[in-house]
Amino acid sequence: MTMTDPAIHPFPVKGQVAVFRGELYRARGAEGLWPCVELLPEPDRPAPEGLAPREAADGSVGYPVPLERLEAWYAVTWTFRWRGELFECTAATPTTLKGDYLGSDEHFAKEHLKRLFTDYYGVFPRHEATELEQHHEDLLQPRHALVRRLDEVDHFRPKAYAVHRSRTYPAAAEADASGLIALTTGDDRPEDLIADPRDPSGELFLASPEQLDAWYRTHWTFRWRGGPFDAVGTVDGRIKGIYTGGSWGFADSWQLTDETALYGYTRYTVQAGLKNVTDLEQHRTDLLPKQ
């Protein structure tokens, strides 16, 4: 959608927009329903057809929609220049533009602008602003790519597998009391294995270690802020890890989540965006007894 003036734009001068059935809506990520997006129709607009409302913790109402039903989803920003210097627009009226300074001229900023903490901003007459321009950052394709990546690695969850007659099956990470290992075979029914009598689905078969070509566990590790973590899955598209370092100061400084009460032992966790982690690595641990 092309607009030449943020004052007549139907959405905030900085925010997210989604296109659903050809209509534009303010939007946000649907917290707790990742990877869905929530549409936020204006009070005077009808609700999106075919979508159910959902009340957020702050009392606002959105309409969750799966990614595949959106035609577009993007972040909108506006920029302009005043006296040749670049600003990001934060508010617009028919007569003024308010903007955060994006330049690096400290003398200019101190002479002409107001300061908030370490940032500078100003409010300017509309006729003095030049090069007013709208920018879009695509959010839909990166989210699709992230969903595919997480699916491909099963959301970085620890998993166990067993190889029987050259076929690999999901498996239990521990043997049962009789020393047998449960394999999830699905529609496959290995003739030399016995069905698990405790499984009503009929998809679990039991194997002894001697019947397996391999039995192993996989898990992921990563670093965040330089600290080591074991990955245990993802939450709303962010990788969740258990801190494996020994520094209480690290856990306290970075405000890691203390889950001790839930698990009965000391456990600090973090939920971090994949862009913020390093040394993301998969490991394999053999579980078959050594001969």
Side-chain angles (χ1 to χ4, degrees), residues 1 17 29 34-35 41-42 73 76 79 103 113-114 150 192 228 232 273 279:
M1 184 175 184
V17 175
W34 191 92
E42 301 298 316
W73 178 36
V76 172
T79 58
L113 307 177
K114 298 178 181 179
L150 296 185
D192 58 339
V232 293
D279 304 304

Side-chain angles (χ1 to χ4, degrees), residues 68-189:
E68 58 270 17
R69 298 186 65 186
L70 292 177
E71 292 121 69
W73 178 36
Y74 52 88
V76 172
T77 56
W78 290 79
T79 58
F80 63 90
R81 289 187 180 274
W82 182 74
R83 299 193 178 183
E85 295 289 337
L86 188 63
F87 291 81
E88 182 180 284
C89 187
T90 57
T93 73
T95 59
T96 63
L97 292 177
K98 182 179 180 180
D100 290 336
Y101 182 47
L102 299 180
S104 57
D105 189 333
E106 191 76 15
H107 177 73
F108 171 89
K110 290 180 177 179
E111 183 177 358
H112 299 288
L113 307 177
K114 298 178 181 179
R115 185 170 183 171
L116 180 63
F117 302 112
T118 60
D119 299 323
Y120 291 93
Y121 71 96
V123 179
F124 314 104
R126 292 292 300 270
H127 68 273
E128 295 182 6
T130 61
E131 300 181 36
L132 183 60
E133 185 177 358
Q134 186 189 72
H135 308 271
H136 288 182
E137 177 191 354
D138 181 32
L139 300 176
L140 190 58
Q141 293 309 313
R143 178 63 64 86
H144 276 306
L146 179 58
V147 170
R148 287 194 298 270
R149 182 182 179 190
L150 296 185
D151 284 341
E152 288 169 0
V153 298
D154 199 17
H155 291 256
F156 301 102
R157 286 186 285 260
K159 302 287 288 186
Y161 299 92
V163 182
H164 175 260
R165 294 186 181 275
S166 301
R167 295 196 62 176
T168 301
Y169 301 97
E174 296 181 355
D176 65 14
S178 60
L180 298 179
I181 301 147
L183 279 59
T184 303
T185 62
D187 294 333
D188 187 15
R189 298 292 187 268

